[in-house]
């Protein structure tokens, strides 16, 4: 049974929906990640769950009890903000102990709980450090310990690692997930970083313009993005619109980059002369000089390299093809005629690498 249920939630500001008919649920101990661009409704969603905003319509329940109209302090939830909101005049112990002292717990219980949490976040020897003496990563861990100290029934984290540099952020992601799983608290984590979402989430909730577009595990989302928005959010670059001009075991799709051949999917209804959104996986595009031959069943397109970026073990190419562009890559060290910017190339596309998506975006 879900511990948290959200149904038909709607919130608008000045007539503009920030959250529009949103429904989802969370199981006990599950870590959900709200993923989407700035302004898509992620933070508004958290604020309604926390009781900082009231929905215009819809319902929220936790452990079978309605949250609608329930005061923030009566919900027993915790929240970790983007700016951390640590108290600079308190040491590490005082910051973690703050919520416990507000609950008027005995000092011995406060002492025990604070040190239990500091040990959990590997900050046990930092109890008397001042906030200004901590690094960015250490402050993040103190803020997490403070959020967990009152034993919240639900923990909400609003882009808590966004202010850190990339290397430190990546190092903390697995640590934060481990801690949340060890504690067993149901959590909702907000981010716009897909790599962070992949690391943190049991399930992803993709949001755009206040709507939920897809709910799935990270693996399911990558294997089958719901539409072009989800595909782009996941980092896929070759998302195109096209019209089916030939129908059969293989589809011919007329698109801005030319006519491409795709396998007719069994799980989607595709009609002749219909317009579709489709994705071409970069790994399915072979790049060669114009002298190479093409396979009859494969889409072969001609283009001009407009950008060539070194990515460690490979080069990423952006190729102008017809009225559109495609991204593909070649392995570092592999060379062929005209593989520099401005060079003419042949792109051979494996029909299996073309995936039809739902939606019009």
């Amino acid at each position: 049974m879900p511990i948290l249920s959200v149904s038909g939630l709607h919130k608008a500001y000045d007539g503009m929906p920030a959250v529009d008919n949103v429904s989802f649920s969370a199981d006990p101990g599950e870590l959900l990640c709200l993923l989407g661009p700035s302004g898509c409704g992620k933070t508004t969603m958290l604020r309604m769950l926390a009781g900082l905003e009231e929905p215009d319509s819809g319902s929220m329940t936790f452990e079978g009890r309605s949250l609608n109209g329930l005061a923030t302090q009566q919900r027993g939830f915790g929240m970790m903000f983007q700016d951390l909101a640590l108290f600079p005049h308190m040491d590490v112990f005082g910051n973690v102990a703050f919520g416990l002292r507000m609950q008027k717990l005995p000092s011995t219980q406060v002492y025990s709980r604070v040190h239990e949490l500091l040990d959990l976040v590997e900050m046990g020897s930092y109890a008397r450090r001042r906030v200004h003496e901590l690094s960015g990563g250490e402050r993040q861990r103190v803020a997490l310990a403070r959020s967990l100290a009152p034993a919240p029934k639900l923990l909400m984290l609003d882009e808590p690692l966004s202010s850190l540099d990339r290397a430190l952020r990546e190092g903390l992601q697995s640590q934060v997930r481990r801690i949340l799983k060890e504690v067993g608290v149901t959590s909702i984590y907000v981010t716009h970083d897909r790599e962070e979402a992949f690391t943190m989430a049991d399930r992803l909730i993709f949001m755009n313009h206040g709507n939920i577009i897809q709910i799935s595990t990270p693996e399911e989302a990558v294997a089958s993005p719901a539409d072009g928005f989800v595909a782009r959010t996941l980092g896929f670059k070759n998302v195109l619109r096209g019209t089916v001009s030939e129908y059969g075991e293989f589809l011919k799709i007329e698109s801005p980059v030319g006519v491409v051949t795709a396998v007719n999917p069994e799980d989607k209804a595709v009609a002749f002369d219909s317009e579709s959104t489709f994705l071409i996986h970069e790994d399915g595009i072979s790049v060669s000089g114009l002298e190479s031959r093409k396979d009859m069943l494969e889409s072969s397109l001609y283009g001009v390299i407009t950008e060539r970026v070194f990515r460690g073990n490979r080069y990423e190419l952006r190729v102008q093809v017809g009225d559109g562009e495609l991204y593909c890559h070649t392995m570092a060290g592999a060379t062929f005629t005209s593989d520099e910017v401005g060079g003419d190339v042949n792109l051979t596309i494996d029909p299996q690498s073309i995936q039809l998506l739902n939606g019009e975006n």
Side-chain angles (χ1 to χ4, degrees), residues 42-264:
K42 305 185 301 291
T43 298
T44 301
M45 185 69 250
L46 282 197
R47 290 179 62 83
M48 287 190 287
L49 287 172
L52 302 174
E53 299 275 0
E54 274 297 312
D56 298 330
S57 59
S59 64
M60 303 174 289
T61 61
F62 189 84
E63 294 181 328
R65 181 176 67 160
S66 175
L67 299 177
N68 293 55
L70 191 66
T72 299
Q73 64 271 21
Q74 294 179 305
R75 302 188 183 203
F77 297 167
M79 193 158 184
M80 184 174 171
F81 296 96
Q82 185 173 344
D83 61 3
L84 305 185
L86 294 176
F87 300 117
H89 62 286
M90 295 182 182
D91 58 16
V92 168
F93 185 98
N95 268 280
V96 178
F98 179 78
L100 301 173
R101 287 170 172 162
M102 292 294 290
Q103 294 177 341
K104 302 189 183 303
L105 297 179
S107 58
T108 54
Q109 190 173 342
V110 171
Y111 181 89
S112 175
R113 178 64 174 165
V114 169
H115 281 282
E116 176 189 351
L117 267 298
L118 289 179
D119 287 341
L120 180 65
V121 299
E122 300 177 3
M123 295 284 289
S125 61
Y126 289 72
R128 295 307 169 190
R129 294 274 186 97
R130 310 296 292 188
V131 171
H132 72 270
E133 297 175 319
L134 303 177
S135 68
E138 290 165 351
R139 293 181 187 184
Q140 300 287 337
R141 284 184 280 164
V142 172
L144 179 59
R146 186 181 65 177
S147 300
L148 292 171
K153 298 176 180 179
L154 176 72
L155 181 62
M156 293 165 284
L157 305 97
D158 190 3
E159 304 202 49
L161 307 181
S162 62
S163 63
L164 302 178
D165 64 72
R166 184 177 184 85
L168 183 56
R169 187 168 69 246
E170 290 177 352
L172 278 173
Q173 287 164 9
S174 297
Q175 187 177 29
V176 170
R177 177 178 166 83
R178 174 189 62 79
I179 291 168
L180 295 177
K181 285 298 181 181
E182 189 170 330
V183 172
V185 61
T186 305
S187 305
I188 300 180
Y189 194 103
V190 163
T191 183
H192 62 271
D193 185 320
R194 65 175 179 274
E195 299 298 334
E196 186 174 4
F198 288 166
T199 302
M200 299 298 300
D202 294 324
R203 285 190 299 154
L204 300 172
I205 299 178
F206 293 86
M207 291 191 69
N208 194 28
H209 300 306
N211 301 114
I212 289 179
I213 309 301
Q214 181 171 353
I215 302 177
S216 63
T217 67
E219 295 85 355
E220 290 168 346
V222 171
S224 185
D227 62 7
F229 164 77
V230 173
R232 294 184 189 95
T233 302
L234 292 169
F236 295 115
K237 296 181 177 180
N238 298 325
V239 181
L240 304 167
R241 292 284 289 171
T243 302
V244 177
S245 59
E246 290 186 26
Y247 183 88
E249 181 182 356
F250 292 90
L251 304 174
K252 294 287 187 182
I253 305 174
E254 296 181 2
S255 74
V257 298
V259 178
V260 297
T261 303
V263 175
N264 195 342

